[in-house]
Amino acid sequence: MTSFLDKSSFAAIFVVLALMPFVSHAGGLGVAPLVFILGILGIILAVKTQRFKITNVQIALIAFLTWLSFTALWSPYRPDDLLTNYLKLFLMVMVFYWSWPLFEYTGRRRPRRLQHLVMSAMFFTAGLVVIDLLSDFGLTLLFNPAIGLDETIRKIIDAEMNLGHSITILIVLAAPTVCLMKERLRKEISVPLGTLFLFLILWAAWLNGLTVGILGLVSVMFVATLAYIFPRTMPRIILSLAIVSILLAPLLAFLASNYVPLIDQHFPLSWEHRLRMWGYCWQVIAEHPIRGAGFDASRSFSDTFVSKITGNDILIVSLHPHNVGIQIWTEAGFIGALLASAVLVTLFKPIDSFTKTRSHSAALSGVIVAIIVISSLTYGAWQFWWWGCVFLAIGTLHLIPDSQNQSMLQDNQWVS
């Protein structure tokens, strides 16, 4: 039985990692079902090895997701689907959680091939994105040809968004990948290869005009370096920053609401739109400070504004506020923000257990700050593929060599 578990766990993770360059290049939506499969296998593994245990992190997650589901009762958004977004989110996150123990279990037994696969897959992904952008989306149009000018323009717009997703996935996995290079490759190889890898991501973000990508990668490099120097303190500081970013999100929304009248024609449209979204949400937060406007309420906001830059009518809130803290306050109120912060608080102990080496601290801190920056400026708080990326990154952290065999959650031991 142990041999079968070893082989099946290794095969599942190997296939997922091998598919990541293509899944991320296509926009990353496929990350959610892939990580879901790993989570299912992780549950089976836990049951078979008699290590199934509910942790404080899971309890906090259940409380937070339950509150989100409850807020749907007063949300103005009424979906037609029988399986609503909040039910999907609850189910998927609970299963996603069990994907990291699968990585941890396999990382103890058959790590080397997976470690090299992570490095190869991420480097290949970065190269694909740069080549596609340099060729004006030639790779995308080669495998997904368009007929006529209108269809070509539409597919290029989609490709630009998809590659933006791919770049953000690379940024979240950048620190673990570079730390794996440092630990597994000779210094004369790891240093130039890691530098080239980071340069490719930065170049891709610049070619795609992705400001959040440049800001995210610079933040990852800076924080990971500090975490390598101060391995015990930096992860706790960055996690505390994540909590503060959620609890003080209404302040950001309030400041944005006061800045909107000062926007001029020289202000970038993307940032004008963000400020208007955040300022608009301040009014909603002020009206529903405790319980929020309800899950997915942002999808029902239909007010528009005339851009000073383009002169076009634009929906103020495009599906979500593009800031996780503001979205939590807008839709789930103070209670939701408190419960979300509680989830992060439960991570302090596991993080202390995990950061036994400088490389672990640097990789973990890089992942956390990447999630903070990207979640604060772009994706919606409830997007399944983004949650999948977060848990995938947590899983890859367990492939970083650790002589002391410390797991991310010390109270879940997988060695019988």
Side-chain angles (χ1 to χ4, degrees):
M1 176 62 70
T2 302
S3 177
F4 174 76
L5 288 175
D6 289 354
K7 292 178 180 178
S8 59
S9 300
F10 172 83
I13 295 174
F14 188 94
V15 170
V16 168
L17 292 176
L19 289 174
M20 282 308 298
F22 312 102
V23 171
S24 65
H25 201 85
L29 299 184
V31 174
L34 290 177
V35 177
F36 188 85
I37 292 171
L38 294 182
I40 292 292
L41 294 175
I43 293 174
I44 295 173
L45 174 68
V47 173
K48 290 290 186 180
T49 56
Q50 298 181 344
R51 305 295 180 184
F52 188 92
K53 181 181 179 181
I54 302 300
T55 66
N56 291 333
V57 179
Q58 286 174 293
I59 293 172
L61 270 173
I62 290 171
F64 175 58
L65 295 171
T66 299
W67 172 251
L68 290 181
S69 302
F70 190 67
T71 66
L73 294 174
W74 56 81
S75 173
Y77 180 70
R78 289 289 181 264
D80 297 327
D81 298 338
L82 180 62
L83 188 59
T84 58
N85 283 341
Y86 59 86
L87 292 177
K88 291 178 186 176
L89 183 68
F90 194 106
L91 173 65
M92 297 189 81
V93 171
M94 287 294 97
V95 175
F96 284 166
Y97 178 89
W98 288 98
S99 61
W100 78 259
L102 197 72
F103 277 91
E104 198 270 348
Y105 177 87
T106 307
R108 288 176 181 270
R109 289 159 172 77
R110 306 162 69 103
R112 192 170 293 272
R113 290 183 182 178
L114 294 180
Q115 291 165 350
H116 285 278
L117 182 57
V118 169
M119 293 184 282
S120 302
M122 291 302 101
F123 199 93
F124 183 53
T125 301
L128 277 181
V129 174
V130 170
I131 291 172
D132 206 3
L133 289 168
L134 287 175
S135 63
D136 293 326
F137 307 103
L139 276 179
T140 297
L141 295 176
L142 176 64
F143 293 99
N144 187 22
I147 301 175
L149 180 61
D150 290 343
E151 186 178 357
T152 300
I153 293 174
R154 187 174 68 253
K155 288 193 174 182
I156 287 177
I157 293 173
D158 290 341
E160 185 178 5
M161 180 186 68
N162 289 341
L163 294 186
H165 288 188
S166 185
I167 293 168
T168 55
I169 293 173
L170 283 167
I171 292 169
V172 173
L173 292 172
T177 302
V178 171
C179 287
L180 278 172
M181 290 178 179
K182 177 185 177 301
E183 296 295 331
R184 278 301 175 212
L185 304 177
R186 296 193 306 271
K187 186 175 182 179
E188 58 268 26
I189 297 176
S190 64
V191 172
L193 197 63
T195 302
L196 178 58
F197 172 65
L198 294 173
F199 172 75
L200 287 174
I201 300 175
L202 195 64
W203 193 12
W206 180 76
L207 289 172
N208 205 39
L210 193 66
T211 305
V212 66
I214 297 173
L215 180 60
L217 185 61
V218 171
S219 299
V220 168
M221 294 167 61
F222 177 71
V223 167
T225 301
L226 286 179
Y228 193 84
I229 300 171
F230 307 105
R232 301 302 297 172
T233 57
M234 279 307 296
R236 295 181 66 89
I237 291 174
I238 300 303
L239 186 60
S240 299
L241 178 63
I243 296 172
V244 170
S245 70
I246 291 175
L247 293 178
L248 296 186
L251 178 60
L252 175 62
F254 172 75
L255 294 174
S257 68
N258 285 276
Y259 194 91
V260 166
L262 304 178
I263 294 175
D264 59 30
Q265 293 182 347
H266 301 289
F267 208 77
L269 178 58
S270 60
W271 289 100
E272 175 191 4
H273 199 179
R274 282 185 178 89
L275 287 175
R276 289 186 181 274
M277 280 191 286
W278 299 344
Y280 182 92
C281 288
W282 165 247
Q283 303 301 324
V284 181
I285 294 171
E287 292 172 5
H288 310 279
I290 304 301
R291 67 176 192 175
F295 186 86
D296 266 349
S298 301
R299 291 176 176 267
S300 68
F301 299 159
S302 57
D303 293 339
T304 61
F305 72 97
V306 177
S307 173
K308 294 181 180 180
I309 301 171
T310 65
N312 298 328
D313 271 348
I314 301 175
L315 199 65
I316 296 179
V317 180
S318 302
L319 298 179
H320 54 80
H322 291 65
N323 179 283
V324 64
I326 291 177
Q327 185 169 358
I328 290 173
W329 274 89
T330 299
E331 299 182 4
F334 171 73
I335 297 176
L338 202 60
L339 291 173
S341 300
V343 174
L344 298 181
V345 168
T346 61
L347 293 175
F348 277 107
K349 184 177 179 181
I351 280 177
D352 287 339
S353 300
F354 180 76
T355 52
K356 298 298 184 181
T357 70
R358 294 181 184 275
S359 289
H360 282 81
S361 179
L364 176 60
S365 299
V367 167
I368 296 173
V369 78
I371 294 169
I372 292 174
V373 172
I374 295 169
S375 297
S376 297
L377 296 174
T378 178
Y379 304 129
W382 324 134
Q383 289 183 282
F384 309 134
W385 77 272
W386 180 236
W387 279 84
C389 290
V390 171
F391 280 96
L392 179 66
I394 294 172
T396 60
L397 289 171
H398 291 85
L399 298 180
I400 299 173
D402 182 359
S403 59
Q404 295 181 6
N405 289 323
Q406 296 290 335
S407 69
M408 180 79 169
L409 295 178
Q410 197 174 33
D411 53 355
N412 269 353
Q413 296 297 331
W414 293 85
V415 179
S416 56

